[in-house]
Amino acid sequence: MSTAKRRRILGIIATDLTFERTEHRGREAWLGKCLHCNAHLLVGLDGEPISRATIEHIVPRTAGGTDTLENLALACARCNQGKGTRHDPHYHRDARARELVEKLLARRRERWRAPDGGDEDSDPE
């Protein structure tokens, strides 16, 4: 995995309240939750996924979604692939797909924390 991708994952972790440092098999790691199903996700302190954690673009890139932290979250591979297959291609014409995206954006805002060194009152909106 590229260094840039690992840095992006660590940025997501830094802004997600569900992630905490823990010990896993004799080494420290980040433990958090999938944005969709709340399954546990493990990521090494270097940003390398230990479990099947993937970067989720909440608003799909095909619909104008960006790589800003507010639009990114970690999801298990199963949930991320399912959303990408079932909902992302239909975003513009399917009300259910847009509703799912709004729900995920709201969940991301609820889980938001300011990254270390940032403004504690910062909000992703």
Side-chain angles (χ1 to χ4, degrees), residues 5-69:
K5 196 167 194 175
R6 286 195 305 272
R7 274 196 306 259
R8 185 172 291 151
I9 288 171
L10 290 172
I12 295 166
I13 288 170
T15 60
D16 187 329
L17 286 170
T18 69
F19 279 87
E20 297 179 350
R21 283 175 83 142
T22 189
E23 188 172 317
H24 175 71
R25 297 185 178 178
R27 66 180 187 153
E28 286 202 68
W30 292 105
L31 175 65
K33 294 181 180 179
C34 170
L35 183 67
H36 295 269
C37 71
N38 286 327
H40 286 197
L41 299 175
L42 274 168
V43 177
L45 295 184
D46 63 353
E48 185 75 31
I50 296 169
S51 64
R52 296 197 56 210
T54 61
I55 296 174
E56 164 73 69
H57 285 80
I58 301 168
V59 176
R61 286 184 281 191
T62 57
T66 66
D67 288 338
T68 61
L69 288 174

